[in-house]
């Protein structure tokens, strides 16, 4: 009998975290590695947000807070939902967690029983299926295609719904493909879900502010307000405000669900860091103008990486609409041989080759459920992105 639980055996270590750690370790060991694995902005947390955290420490905001978040952060979250999305949540309809990941985890743990199904469009963020599995549910992975911009089609969604479907996870702009749904595409999906009373939507809006080329952000609770009694709208400050390490995510939804999530959180981590919560209040209530400048930088970096990767023979890189990832196909590299005569057989071989030969850390598409692809985070300096793409190109030219 194993000391470790059966539930642990259902999941894998997070591949995005594994690649990031590997790059960190190699750098610490003196290797010249450009890490484009992690999904985190390279910008520093803005000063006004840091000042708010320092003031919180000096004020003595260093004690437990309510499990589901401080009143001031919950009010800031309600204002954000109202101001930016037009969704009216009351403070008892929101909960703050230690990162967006905990919000998803709480929601799944609080609602799934053995055999309950969760529809997840593929490619997906690495942790969705594993969180569902850990909670005892069954991930139902639904194909999307490049020709449809990696977006779920209404018919494919409907075909995947069964009597056991409890949730559909929608992530727009999406990780890893950057796919962003238009209003009509999102409405087509919510129209289907309206017909199935038992099905809830988890809207992962963490990349809301990272949307390019003038595309409008849409979320299920806005296009289908009548569904709000079965939508959990998840968001956080990590990606938008360069606050990944502060670990603040939040969700808005119906009171019974929020209470259930708070009950679970109260028996696990309790409140998220009181200091981080104070910083998040400032992030949400403070100036927002700087986000336009960041968006412009991300747009330029996206264009640079897409153009440079498309010049590499064997790589084909679509132009994503949002988030800060590109998700190229490396089908053209499969079968090519490295110097010792060994062929690259999978996208995992390709990314291992990029790391070893080019010193560039990216994540294999297999981790996101779609191969042969790889994900590049372009939340890095232009200099590093140019150098990484040049190195990838050279490494690919060395293949035979
Ligand atoms: N969500 C980010 C990513 O996909 C952060 C790492 C993680 O939690 O997966 O890289």
């Amino acid at each position: 009998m194993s000391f470790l639980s059966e539930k642990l055996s259902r999941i894998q270590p997070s591949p995005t975290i594994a690649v990031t750690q590997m790059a960190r370790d190699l750098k610490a060991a003196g290797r010249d590695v450009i890490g484009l694995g992690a999904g985190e902005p390279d910008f520093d947390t803005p000063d006004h947000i840091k000042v708010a955290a320092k003031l919180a420490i000096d004020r003595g905001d260093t004690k437990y807070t309510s499990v589901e978040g401080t009143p001031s952060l919950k009010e800031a979250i309600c204002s954000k939902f109202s101001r930016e999305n037009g969704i009216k949540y009351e403070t008892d309809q929101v909960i703050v967690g230690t990162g967006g990941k905990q919000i998803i985890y709480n929601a799944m743990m609080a609602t799934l029983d053995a055999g309950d199904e969760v529809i997840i469009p593929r490619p997906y963020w690495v942790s969705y299926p594993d969180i569902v599995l850990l909670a005892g549910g069954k991930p139902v992975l639904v194909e999307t295609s490049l020709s449809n911009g990696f977006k779920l089609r209404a018919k494919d969604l409907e075909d995947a719904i069964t009597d056991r479907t409890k949730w559909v996870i929608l992530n727009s702009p999406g990780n890893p493909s950057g796919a962003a749904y238009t209003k009509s595409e999102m409405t087509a999906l919510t129209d289907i879900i309206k017909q199935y009373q038992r099905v809830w939507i988890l809207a992962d809006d963490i990349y809301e502010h990272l949307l390019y080329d003038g595309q409008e952000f849409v979320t299920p609770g806005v296009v289908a307000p009548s569904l709000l009694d079965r939508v959990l709208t998840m968001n956080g400050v990590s990606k938008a405000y360069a606050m990944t390490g502060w670990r603040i995510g939040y969700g808005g939804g119906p009171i019974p669900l929020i209470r259930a999530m708070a009950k679970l959180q109260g028996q696990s981590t309790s409140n998220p860091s009181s200091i981080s919560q104070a910083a998040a209040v400032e992030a949400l209530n403070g100036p927002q103008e700087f986000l336009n400048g960041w968006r412009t930088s991300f747009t330029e970096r996206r264009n640079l990486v897409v153009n440079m990767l498309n010049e590499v023979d064997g790589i084909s890189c679509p132009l994503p609409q949002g988030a800060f990832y590109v998700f190229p196909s490396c089908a053209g590299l499969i079968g090519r041989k490295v110097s010792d005569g060994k062929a690259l057989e999978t996208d995992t071989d390709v990314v291992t080759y990029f790391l070893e030969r080019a010193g560039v850390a990216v994540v294999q598409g297999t981790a996101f459920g779609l191969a042969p692809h790889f994900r590049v985070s372009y939340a890095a300096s232009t200099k590093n992105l140019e150098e990484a793409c040049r190195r990838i190109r050279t490494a690919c030219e060395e293949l035979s």
Side-chain angles (χ1 to χ4, degrees):
M1 200 178 84
S2 166
F3 178 65
L4 301 177
S5 70
E6 177 277 322
K7 23 181 207 311
L8 195 76
S9 70
R10 295 179 210 152
I11 63 167
Q12 300 296 323
S14 161
T16 47
I17 292 181
V19 168
T20 311
Q21 189 57 44
M22 206 190 308
R24 210 178 273 136
D25 292 346
L26 285 169
K27 268 191 228 167
R31 280 275 309 272
D32 171 19
V33 171
I34 303 176
L36 305 179
E40 78 175 336
D42 57 317
F43 303 121
D44 196 7
T45 303
D47 278 343
H48 64 281
I49 298 174
K50 289 185 183 173
V51 168
K54 290 174 198 166
L55 289 174
I57 296 174
D58 292 343
R59 223 176 23 239
D61 284 359
T62 52
K63 312 284 189 210
Y64 292 130
T65 74
S66 300
V67 166
E68 63 280 12
T70 59
S72 49
L73 181 51
K74 289 197 292 177
E75 273 157 31
I77 290 166
C78 291
S79 307
K80 176 263 177 266
F81 276 130
S82 163
R83 181 181 70 239
E84 295 185 347
N85 310 115
I87 305 179
K88 303 275 179 236
Y89 284 125
E90 301 298 328
T91 48
D92 53 0
Q93 289 183 284
V94 298
I95 178 167
V96 187
T98 300
K101 202 179 252 177
Q102 189 180 26
I103 298 295
I104 301 171
Y105 182 83
N106 285 346
M108 295 300 127
M109 290 297 282
T111 57
L112 296 182
D113 285 314
D116 286 342
E117 296 176 2
V118 179
I119 293 177
I120 302 172
R122 187 210 295 266
Y124 46 75
W125 174 48
V126 296
S127 292
Y128 295 144
D130 281 21
I131 292 174
V132 169
L133 287 167
L134 201 52
K138 179 177 163 204
V140 175
L141 308 174
V142 181
E143 303 302 326
T144 63
S145 65
L146 173 59
S147 61
N148 198 42
F150 292 119
K151 288 181 257 190
L152 181 63
R153 293 184 316 169
K155 182 180 175 314
D156 295 330
L157 169 62
E158 184 152 34
D159 287 349
I161 295 176
T162 72
D163 290 349
R164 296 306 306 264
T165 307
K166 220 161 202 177
W167 290 93
V168 178
I169 300 184
L170 295 175
N171 172 215
S172 175
N175 177 3
S177 69
Y181 290 77
T182 63
K183 200 169 179 177
S184 64
E185 289 164 342
M186 187 63 87
T187 308
L189 299 180
T190 51
D191 281 350
I192 299 291
I193 295 167
K194 277 180 190 166
Q195 299 165 36
Y196 297 86
Q197 307 288 328
R198 290 189 52 229
V199 179
W200 287 55
I201 303 175
L202 196 167
D204 178 348
D205 293 352
I206 196 85
Y207 296 100
E208 169 176 8
H209 288 288
L210 299 157
L211 198 50
Y212 313 114
D213 309 325
Q215 188 165 330
E216 187 196 353
F217 172 74
V218 290
T219 185
V222 171
V223 299
S226 66
L227 281 179
L228 274 172
D229 58 354
R230 45 193 174 104
V231 172
L232 176 65
T233 309
M234 190 280 269
N235 211 318
V237 296
S238 294
K239 314 289 186 183
Y241 302 97
M243 293 177 69
T244 47
W246 301 76
R247 310 307 303 133
I248 294 291
Y250 55 86
I255 291 171
L257 174 67
I258 298 298
R259 283 205 186 128
M261 290 165 64
K263 178 176 168 188
L264 192 71
Q265 191 164 301
Q267 292 288 28
S268 53
T269 56
S270 293
N271 63 275
S273 151
S274 56
I275 318 298
S276 296
Q277 290 193 66
V281 171
E282 177 60 22
L284 295 177
N285 287 347
Q288 306 291 313
E289 293 70 30
F290 67 93
L291 297 178
N292 293 326
W294 285 7
R295 210 167 6 250
T296 304
S297 297
F298 281 132
T299 310
E300 288 165 5
R301 294 163 177 197
R302 174 198 64 166
N303 296 345
L304 170 96
V305 172
V306 169
N307 290 336
M308 286 188 78
L309 290 180
N310 275 328
E311 281 167 14
V312 181
D313 181 35
I315 294 178
S316 165
C317 187
L319 183 77
Q321 246 41 68
F324 39 55
Y325 310 107
V326 294
F327 194 57
S329 162
C330 53
L333 299 176
I334 302 299
R336 295 199 192 169
K337 295 197 173 82
V338 298
S339 56
D340 65 2
K342 214 169 148 285
L344 299 175
E345 285 171 4
T346 63
D347 54 14
T348 306
D349 290 346
V350 171
V351 305
T352 305
Y353 175 66
F354 288 167
L355 184 61
E356 285 171 357
R357 184 70 199 159
V360 177
V362 294
V363 188
Q364 66 278 15
T366 305
F368 306 93
L370 192 71
H373 280 255
F374 62 99
R375 188 191 79 173
V376 180
S377 163
Y378 56 83
S381 70
T382 306
K383 183 171 154 282
N384 277 352
L385 292 171
E386 274 172 347
E387 174 63 14
C389 292
R390 258 196 301 271
R391 289 188 194 183
I392 287 179
R393 182 187 182 137
T394 308
C396 290
E397 284 169 355
E398 285 171 6
L399 296 166
S400 55

